[in-house]
Amino acid sequence: MSTVFKKIIDGEAPARIVYRDEQITAFWDIHRQAPVHILVVPNRVIPGANDLTPGDDALVGRMVRVAAQIAKEQGIAERGYRLMINCGSEGGQTVYHLHLHLLGGRPLGPMLAR
Ligand code: AMP
């Protein structure tokens, strides 16, 4: 299965990549919703959180740790930031390739729009 994110990971679509290793790629969101808005994505296509298995536990932990490392590099770690995974249609997921949103660089307000 291919997704727009898989194309970015495979170098077939453009993106501003900030991190890459054998398991994870991170790049700037094309529709930035905060001064820092970076997506942390597993290189292997996992459609969403519902598709995770126990074998993915280390991968998901690594995604969070990589996001925290990128937050430090972007200079927002001390001020604070938000890590978010949308799941399914009511969760607002639009790309069915698991991804962790790293958002920060301004006060983000309450967790959900009221
Ligand atoms: P979600 O709504 O949680 O599935 O998030 C998908 C995110 O992917 C949105 O914030 C989009 O702006 C972002 N996005 C979609 N296509 C691209 C792309 N080609 N490059 C970077 N970000 C993208």
Side-chain angles (χ1 to χ4, degrees):
M1 188 206 302
S2 194
T3 67
V4 63
F5 292 171
K6 185 65 179 158
K7 290 195 171 83
I8 288 170
I9 289 158
D10 291 344
E12 295 166 3
R16 289 172 61 199
I17 291 174
V18 296
Y19 178 88
R20 192 199 288 279
D21 67 28
E22 68 283 359
Q23 288 185 304
I24 289 169
T25 302
F27 47 87
W28 283 84
D29 194 293
I30 203 167
H31 294 125
R32 208 161 46 92
Q33 295 192 33
V36 176
H37 188 176
I38 289 169
L39 303 172
V40 180
V41 185
N43 293 343
R44 176 168 56 89
V45 179
I46 300 169
N50 287 341
D51 303 292
L52 289 166
T53 68
D56 297 318
D57 289 0
L59 173 67
V60 174
R62 189 182 178 110
M63 287 169 64
V64 173
R65 197 174 52 73
V66 165
Q69 179 185 314
I70 294 170
K72 273 192 203 124
E73 289 164 7
Q74 294 292 328
I76 60 170
E78 295 305 319
R79 293 155 62 195
Y81 54 89
R82 184 170 294 161
L83 300 179
M84 199 174 72
I85 295 176
N86 294 325
C87 183
S89 59
E90 289 198 2
Q93 185 173 7
T94 58
V95 177
Y96 282 77
H97 185 154
L98 184 71
H99 49 284
L100 183 61
H101 293 259
L102 164 61
L103 294 148
R106 66 167 168 80
L108 295 169
M111 191 169 68
L112 297 176
R114 294 182 197 282

